[in-house]
């Protein structure tokens, strides 16, 4: 379903070339749950941003089903991102003046075609993840674990082919982290394809495969 071939990405830092990704090959099957680990600066976020079509590689190919994303123009890749990819961030990125329900419906604001069933889907997602009583609350009234679960609901609204998460439990206390981890495991059990960056060995243990990056290369793969 997903195939990266020889992906390279270089940044310039003070006149020096930094090879953030240095020839990454990676295939991910539909329904697979993959964790990415590695030291700070090893390229984890860059790889996730390439997978999420937020960042373009300098060279290499990226197929998501029939689409080749690395060579798409910005409009095409942002359209594809909205339709097919869900993104979850460490710091939630919920908008503080919108209710939880409105936040979960945000991906519909950017959709080319409005989906009349989206609100019903948002409500049932929120109910399913235990936030049925919080839909009209503002983010400021929720705990960290509730915020991250709402952010996951938002990422799932458009029923993405691929769910990506960058350190999803990095800002949470250990109990909330367990709640979020259980939600991710349940999504995986229901067939969601997921890739997440984590430092947390408990999360990596739930994944089917852990890819260790070092200096922009795949260093080791654990199954
Ligand atoms: P990780 O997520 O593993 O910490 P990153 O993908 O964030 O690693 O970064 C990989 C390398 O690329 C690092 O050396 C980092 O400093 C560099 N880098 C990442 N993003 C940028 C950027 N926007 N501009 C310049 N250098 C960057
Ligand atoms: P966190 O600290 O929650 O992990 P960051 O703000 O570091 O999140 O974002 C992770 C990456 O995603 C960064 O490279 C950033 O450029 C990108 N990013 C952050 N927010 C958005 C957004 N709303 N839409 C698209 N890209 C984003």
């Amino acid at each position: 379903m997903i195939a990266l071939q020889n992906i390279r990405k270089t940044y310039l830092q003070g006149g020096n070339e930094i090879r953030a990704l240095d020839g990454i090959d990676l295939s991910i099957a539909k329904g697979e749950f993959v964790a990415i680990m590695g030291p700070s600066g090893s390229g984890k976020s860059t790889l996730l941003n390439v997978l999420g079509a937020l960042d373009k590689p300098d060279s290499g190919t990226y197929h998501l089903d029939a689409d080749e994303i690395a060579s798409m123009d910005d409009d095409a890749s942002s359209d594809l991102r909205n339709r097919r990819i869900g993104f979850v961030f460490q710091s939630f990125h919920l908008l503080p003046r919108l209710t939880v329900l409105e936040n979960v419906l945000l991906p519909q604001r950017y959709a080319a075609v409005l989906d009349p069933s989206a609100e019903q889907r948002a409500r049932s997602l929120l109910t399913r993840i235990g936030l049925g009583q919080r839909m009209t609350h503002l983010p400021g009234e929720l705990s960290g674990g509730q915020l991250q679960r709402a952010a996951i609901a938002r990422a799932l609204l458009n029923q993405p082919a691929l769910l990506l998460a960058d350190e999803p439990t990095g800002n949470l206390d250990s109990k909330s982290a367990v709640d979020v981890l259980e939600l991710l495991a349940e999504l995986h059990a229901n067939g969601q394809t997921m890739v997440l960056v984590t430092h947390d060995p408990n999360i990596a243990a739930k994944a089917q495969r852990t890819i260790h990056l070092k200096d922009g290369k795949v260093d080791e793969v654990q199954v």
Side-chain angles (χ1 to χ4, degrees), residues 49 54 89-91 93 166:
N49 289 347
L54 293 167
F89 301 96
Q90 178 172 353
S91 48
H93 290 290
D166 198 347

Side-chain angles (χ1 to χ4, degrees), residues 2-157:
I2 290 168
L4 298 183
Q5 274 181 319
N6 203 12
I7 293 285
R8 293 178 193 275
K9 176 86 186 171
T10 302
Y11 292 108
L12 270 180
Q13 271 183 26
N16 293 320
E17 283 205 341
I18 307 280
R19 289 185 190 174
L21 297 177
D22 192 8
I24 299 281
D25 293 311
L26 178 61
S27 296
I28 299 171
K30 189 168 158 55
E32 203 178 357
F33 178 1
V34 173
I36 300 173
M37 298 186 87
S40 178
S42 59
K44 304 181 298 295
S45 291
T46 305
L47 177 57
L48 208 67
N49 289 347
V50 167
L51 284 168
L54 293 167
D55 242 353
K56 280 238 173 341
D58 300 328
S59 63
T61 59
Y62 170 17
H63 287 92
L64 176 59
D65 295 326
D67 294 306
E68 201 290 302
I69 299 176
S71 61
M72 275 182 182
D73 66 28
D74 287 351
D75 283 351
S77 62
S78 84
D79 175 63
L80 179 129
R81 182 166 71 238
N82 288 331
R83 284 185 298 105
R84 309 214 57 206
I85 297 171
F87 225 110
V88 175
F89 301 96
Q90 178 172 353
S91 48
F92 323 129
H93 290 290
L94 296 175
L95 298 183
R97 293 177 195 281
L98 298 184
T99 66
V100 168
L101 180 62
E102 288 165 344
N103 267 286
V104 172
L105 281 166
L106 273 175
Q108 273 293 301
R109 290 205 181 180
Y110 309 117
V113 182
L114 281 183
D115 172 356
S117 63
E119 180 165 340
Q120 190 45 49
R121 223 165 45 237
R123 289 177 182 278
S124 67
L125 271 169
L126 283 165
T127 302
R128 175 175 153 206
I129 66 179
L131 294 177
Q133 306 303 313
R134 299 285 179 170
M135 293 193 213
T136 59
H137 291 220
L138 293 173
E141 300 171 280
L142 270 60
S143 70
Q146 290 173 329
L147 291 171
Q148 192 60 301
R149 282 184 284 141
I152 291 170
R154 180 179 59 187
L156 294 172
L157 182 73

